[in-house]
Amino acid sequence: MNTEVPIALKLDHDELRANLDKALKETGPIGAAARELASVVLPHMALEEKLAFPPLGLLPQLASGDVTEEMAAVLPMISEFIASHDALRGEHQQIGYKLQVLLEAAKKEGSDEYTQFAYRGMVHERIEEAVIYPTIFLIGKYIRQQLKR
């Protein structure tokens, strides 16, 4: 059973962290906005990597119709994710606001690099809300259904 964080998601978070680390070294409005963003986004990403992303490692097996008893081991993790879902969505709203502040600061400073970073962060949050989070719910429902739990 593979419950490793899919490499695409790991690389995406790694890239966001690297860009944030760079922005944190900036002074002025960009640096201030980056520090505000970091205070919310870093713990948020850590929680996603702990609860939300590992079940997604099962997708290749599930897509091929392979459901095993050992997959039930992710059900507590998915239940914890579901219990945290409202809080995670609330954090997404905070992160979205802080990304907007960073975007405005970057545009005002004429920084294409940080404008793109902020925009990319906004896209990332929307993908999580529209695709990743619902997929985790579906994984839990599908495993429960297939294992009759």
Side-chain angles (χ1 to χ4, degrees):
M1 178 178 77
N2 182 11
T3 57
E4 289 183 30
V5 173
I7 191 67
L9 296 175
K10 181 180 179 344
L11 292 172
D12 194 41
H13 269 194
D14 288 349
E15 178 185 16
L16 289 169
R17 273 193 201 90
N19 288 322
L20 180 58
D21 285 346
K22 187 172 181 185
L24 288 168
K25 294 175 184 151
E26 296 289 329
T27 58
I30 290 174
R35 284 184 284 285
E36 286 292 317
L37 175 61
S39 70
V40 177
V41 79
L42 292 175
H44 176 84
M45 289 193 315
L47 186 59
E48 285 178 334
E49 290 164 3
K50 177 186 170 202
L51 293 181
F53 293 174
L56 295 168
L58 297 175
L59 282 172
Q61 284 178 269
L62 294 173
S64 69
D66 184 18
V67 180
T68 65
E69 271 300 320
E70 65 182 359
M71 288 180 178
V74 301
L75 294 176
M77 186 183 308
I78 292 173
S79 293
E80 192 174 345
F81 166 78
I82 291 168
S84 301
H85 184 251
D86 288 342
L88 288 166
R89 290 190 72 217
E91 289 171 4
H92 273 181
Q93 290 178 338
Q94 292 176 38
I95 292 165
Y97 172 76
K98 292 175 188 303
L99 283 165
Q100 185 63 42
V101 170
L102 176 60
L103 178 68
E104 290 169 13
K107 284 181 176 180
K108 187 174 181 180
E109 299 281 321
S111 171
D112 289 340
E113 176 182 10
Y114 294 118
T115 297
Q116 290 173 6
F117 166 56
Y119 179 78
R120 173 79 178 83
M122 292 174 176
V123 170
H124 174 86
E125 295 302 316
R126 289 192 174 106
I127 289 171
E128 286 183 349
E129 288 283 331
V131 179
I132 293 173
Y133 285 10
T135 300
I136 297 161
F137 278 85
L138 286 173
I139 289 169
K141 286 180 182 181
Y142 184 71
I143 291 172
R144 282 186 187 94
Q145 181 183 52
Q146 295 301 306
L147 298 179
K148 301 189 183 346
R149 294 188 181 214

